[in-house]
Amino acid sequence: MMFLNWRGEKARFFSFEQRGVCDIIYFMSEDIVDIYDISYEGAGVGRINNQIVFVPKTLKNEKVRVKVTKRLSSFLLADVDEVICPSEQRIEPKCKHFEVCGGCDFQHCGVESERAIKIEIIKKEISKAGYQGEVEFEESERRFGYRNKLKLEYEQGKLGFFKPKSRELFEVERCEIASDLMNDILPDVKEFIAENRLVGLRSVYFKQVGETLAICFLFPKNSEKLAKNIQKLDIFEGFSVFFAFGDVLESNSTKIYNVYGNSKLIRQIGDLQMAVDVSSFNQVNDDVAEKLYNYIEGFCAGKRVVNAYSGQGLLTYRLAQKAKFVYGVEYQISAHESAERLCSFCREYKIENICGKVEDCLKNILLKDRIDLIVLDPAREGCDKQVIESIVGERLEQVIYVSCNFATLVRDLKILGEFYCVKSVKIFNMFPCCVNMETVAVLERKA
């Protein structure tokens, strides 16, 4: 039996009972949606009463029963109650937390389906910047267990992730896309936290380099006194343990102390050993990062290059082996120091590392040197307006833009599009199972 609820929508009859003179009807909203597209955030797209609804973790051509969770003026958000007609591409997710976690988006479909979805998303989005060509795709060797770093939140005795678009925490027993080493140590981390009653603990960071793992506990700024009389550190025999005090681990103002094990993680690069800082940025998928760096190297032979947002200097070092000269620009002090240490091992290459914001440093570099190519790999926020203006003003011949956020990538390409033509676009699947993807756009200046 069907009823109309207070919004005039259909509702499903659940039960009826008599209470004195009052008849009480229990019902819930029932909306059946046909999924006809996938949004750039990886959610299925359907309609309810001619209004767009986004339904995460659904696939094209599925019919699903949904529960609307949020109503906005231009669209609705909904969760799946039941998959009535599943897609042929639907599979059983590997992770037990998949339905409540916002980390993974595509564990409910296979590798081929994920690839097709990502290519379709990028083609649609990048066309907004005028590119109508093909989109290449470089796959990851591993779909699970590939992440070399992870951040878990801590609240009220629970260690885990926040649910999608919320601050509601759920406890994690295992993260399927994280490395086995991280998952194996997770019970010990929980035991360590419980044993020491770490008051004020906000987050726990894991970072793996080769077979070495660092664990960093983040506390509020100026709360060093909270981390005294720590017990059972020897539970982490063979690992490196850090306590950090600040808002985020990557900030220059965050104080980080090595409390157990080695203070530096050592990364082997051929015959070279690189000291890696626990707080500095690194690509999360070593296999795909290697493919990405090889690809970018191919554009640099004999050129004078700026590697903007250069992190710990690994790509700068790699480019310098083929380029005529490379400037690496990085704002985070610890990352810059890592780049300088790496540079000291390769004096046969021509490198200058500069510590500062790209928007503050780039114009001076371009004024004093004739740069042939700039490699941009900004954070999710994209490039500062000054960076784009400097590139356009100095008439650089070639730009390689690396981005993990295609929304800001498209925004910046639209601005550059007046002077540059996008020659190729390639996806590097740095984040299997997730809607995020590392996208590389190669631009050349228009005649």
Side-chain angles (χ1 to χ4, degrees):
M1 186 179 297
M2 306 299 291
F3 295 88
L4 294 181
N5 64 16
W6 64 273
R7 298 187 184 95
E9 301 163 330
K10 288 183 178 179
R12 182 171 52 179
F13 175 71
F14 266 71
S15 65
F16 177 88
E17 70 180 46
Q18 187 79 21
R19 289 189 180 175
V21 296
C22 296
D23 295 334
I24 302 176
I25 299 174
Y26 296 91
F27 60 84
M28 64 176 289
S29 174
E30 181 190 73
D31 294 297
I32 295 177
V33 176
D34 291 312
I35 303 298
Y36 64 86
D37 200 1
I38 302 295
S39 76
Y40 70 88
E41 290 187 328
V45 183
R47 288 185 179 275
I48 296 176
N49 296 332
N50 292 320
Q51 191 171 18
I52 292 289
V53 58
F54 295 107
V55 189
K57 297 168 184 176
T58 56
L59 299 170
K60 285 174 72 171
N61 302 318
E62 290 191 324
K63 186 184 289 290
V64 293
R65 180 177 286 111
V66 304
K67 177 183 178 183
V68 176
T69 58
K70 195 166 187 178
R71 295 178 177 272
L72 301 170
S73 58
S74 55
F75 62 88
L76 309 173
L77 300 178
D79 290 335
V80 177
D81 268 355
E82 179 187 357
V83 179
I84 299 171
C85 294
S87 164
E88 292 180 358
Q89 280 72 49
R90 179 172 283 274
I91 62 174
E92 188 69 24
K94 183 174 182 178
C95 181
K96 64 182 292 184
H97 305 300
F98 176 68
E99 297 301 334
V100 296
C101 182
C104 288
D105 306 278
F106 298 129
Q107 282 195 31
H108 61 310
C109 66
V111 173
E112 295 296 329
S113 297
E114 179 181 333
R115 180 188 298 118
I117 290 170
K118 288 184 172 181
I119 290 174
E120 185 176 352
I121 288 172
I122 286 296
K123 275 189 173 181
K124 188 184 300 182
E125 294 303 312
I126 211 79
S127 68
K128 298 174 184 177
Y131 181 75
Q132 301 296 331
E134 291 300 311
V135 174
E136 297 180 79
F137 193 95
E138 189 72 55
E139 188 57 270
S140 172
E141 291 180 9
R142 292 179 293 172
R143 196 175 194 212
F144 298 99
Y146 64 84
R147 282 196 71 98
N148 58 34
K149 61 180 180 180
L150 195 68
K151 177 189 177 187
L152 295 179
E153 309 294 344
Y154 182 78
E155 279 186 3
Q156 298 178 345
K158 291 183 180 180
L159 188 64
F161 298 123
F162 292 125
K163 292 183 178 180
K165 301 183 187 300
S166 82
R167 295 286 299 178
E168 183 181 352
L169 189 76
F170 68 93
E171 194 160 20
V172 170
E173 295 179 13
R174 179 180 177 84
C175 175
E176 294 293 349
I177 61 175
S179 73
D180 288 337
L181 196 56
M182 295 180 196
N183 282 308
D184 291 344
I185 198 66
L186 192 53
D188 291 332
V189 171
K190 292 180 179 180
E191 180 184 338
F192 175 76
I193 293 171
E195 181 75 19
N196 285 281
R197 298 179 183 176
L198 298 179
V199 178
L201 177 64
R202 289 179 171 177
S203 311
V204 181
Y205 292 78
F206 301 82
K207 185 168 188 173
Q208 183 173 342
V209 177
E211 296 303 313
T212 306
L213 181 68
I215 306 160
C216 185
F217 299 85
L218 180 69
F219 299 87
K221 189 182 297 184
N222 302 321
S223 63
E224 285 90 333
K225 62 182 180 181
L226 298 177
K228 291 183 178 180
N229 302 317
I230 299 299
Q231 306 295 318
K232 297 194 72 170
L233 275 167
D234 57 357
I235 201 173
F236 298 119
E237 179 68 33
F239 302 118
S240 295
V241 182
F242 300 83
F243 282 2
F245 303 87
D247 296 325
V248 292
L249 184 63
E250 298 83 2
S251 171
N252 286 335
S253 63
T254 296
K255 297 179 181 178
I256 303 174
Y257 302 93
N258 176 225
V259 297
Y260 189 81
N262 294 327
S263 62
K264 295 293 180 184
L265 302 172
I266 303 300
R267 179 172 185 169
Q268 195 73 32
I269 309 169
D271 297 331
L272 179 67
Q273 287 190 334
M274 175 183 177
V276 177
D277 190 85
V278 68
S279 67
S280 298
F281 171 82
N282 62 277
Q283 300 286 2
V284 303
N285 187 326
D286 291 333
D287 152 49
V288 178
E290 179 67 19
K291 295 175 181 178
L292 172 66
Y293 293 164
N294 285 338
Y295 180 72
I296 298 173
E297 280 179 38
F299 295 91
C300 296
K303 295 180 179 178
R304 302 185 75 79
V305 181
V306 172
N307 181 25
Y309 315 96
S310 56
Q312 299 179 82
L314 178 56
L315 180 58
T316 304
Y317 164 76
R318 294 277 298 262
L319 299 183
Q321 296 177 66
K322 292 187 177 181
K324 190 175 289 185
F325 195 93
V326 183
Y327 296 91
V329 185
E330 172 56 42
Y331 175 65
Q332 190 186 13
I333 295 171
S334 62
H336 169 74
E337 291 172 347
S338 294
E340 284 289 85
R341 287 194 297 270
L342 181 59
C343 184
S344 69
F345 288 104
C346 50
R347 295 189 182 279
E348 67 271 25
Y349 306 122
K350 298 176 181 178
I351 298 173
E352 181 179 343
N353 291 307
I354 300 169
C355 187
K357 293 182 178 180
V358 176
E359 54 266 34
D360 296 335
C361 303
L362 181 58
K363 190 169 185 177
N364 289 335
I365 296 173
L366 298 180
L367 284 173
K368 77 174 185 178
D369 201 343
R370 178 61 180 172
I371 300 300
D372 304 299
L373 165 67
I374 184 167
V375 179
L376 302 170
D377 189 2
R380 293 186 59 82
E381 295 77 17
C383 291
D384 186 272
K385 185 180 178 181
Q386 286 181 256
V387 175
I388 303 295
E389 289 175 349
S390 295
I391 292 171
V392 169
E394 294 303 318
R395 302 181 63 83
L396 286 176
E397 290 302 316
Q398 196 171 43
V399 177
I400 296 178
Y401 198 132
V402 185
S403 175
C404 63
N405 183 354
F406 44 82
T408 52
L409 170 64
V410 169
R411 179 200 70 195
D412 293 344
L413 291 184
K414 284 180 179 178
I415 302 171
L416 288 166
E418 185 177 349
F419 303 93
Y420 289 86
C421 177
V422 180
K423 303 298 289 185
S424 66
V425 175
K426 187 169 185 176
I427 297 169
F428 288 81
N429 199 20
M430 192 75 71
F431 315 96
C433 298
C434 308
V435 73
N436 305 84
M437 54 193 110
E438 201 81 351
T439 307
V440 181
V442 179
L443 295 80
E444 292 181 2
R445 193 168 183 94
K446 293 178 180 178

